[in-house]
Amino acid sequence: MATTDEVRAPIVRAMRSCPVEVSIAVLGGAWKMTIVKHLLDEPLRYGELRRKVGEVTPRVLTRQLRELEQDGIVNRHSYAEVPPRVEYSLTPTGRALRGFVSELNRWGAEYVEGLRGSSATRREVVTAGERNGQQTDDKL
């Protein structure tokens, strides 16, 4: 875990507000929770992690990994090999996020399913309105 001298400025500002803001300051960056989710199962090399995370640019992934490392969530282990090998894993603090990540994953899946259901319902309403000669709103 980072010492108070090493804490990033956004976290220091959040510490003046409330613990929820601290959590968001540490974990709220682009792709951070997805990175943590994939590291829960096993340590991963950079390329493996990039493939699992998805459409993230190398620059963004590197920046997020550095912030997670600085915040005490991720370990970066560099092996003295040729070619060089770097592996990322979770710290004990990072592993403590397992329940939180699992719950966010569950909630997100349910939310997407709800959106799909409402999209199907919306399409049915629009289609029925078009059949009845009613004007429909394309922004639905």
Side-chain angles (χ1 to χ4, degrees), residues 7-55:
V7 176
R8 293 183 305 113
I11 297 170
V12 172
R13 284 191 299 276
M15 290 167 63
R16 294 186 211 126
S17 182
C18 79
V20 171
E21 292 300 319
V22 173
S23 299
I24 291 169
V26 173
L27 301 168
W31 304 103
K32 284 185 178 178
M33 291 304 295
T34 305
I35 292 167
V36 170
K37 174 186 170 185
H38 290 295
L39 290 176
L40 280 169
D41 295 329
E42 61 184 335
L44 295 170
R45 293 176 67 175
Y46 180 87
E48 295 171 314
L49 187 57
R50 184 166 176 223
R51 282 187 294 278
K52 287 183 180 236
V53 168
E55 297 181 20

Side-chain angles (χ1 to χ4, degrees), residues 35-36 39 65 68-69 72-76 88-91:
I35 292 167
V36 170
L39 290 176
L65 284 165
L68 287 167
E69 183 182 10
I73 305 299
V74 168
N75 281 321
R76 180 183 187 273
Y88 294 92
S89 61
L90 293 176
T91 64

Side-chain angles (χ1 to χ4, degrees), residues 61-72:
L61 180 58
T62 298
R63 186 176 64 235
Q64 298 305 304
L65 284 165
R66 284 182 184 152
E67 287 181 9
L68 287 167
E69 183 182 10
Q70 185 178 357
D71 295 341

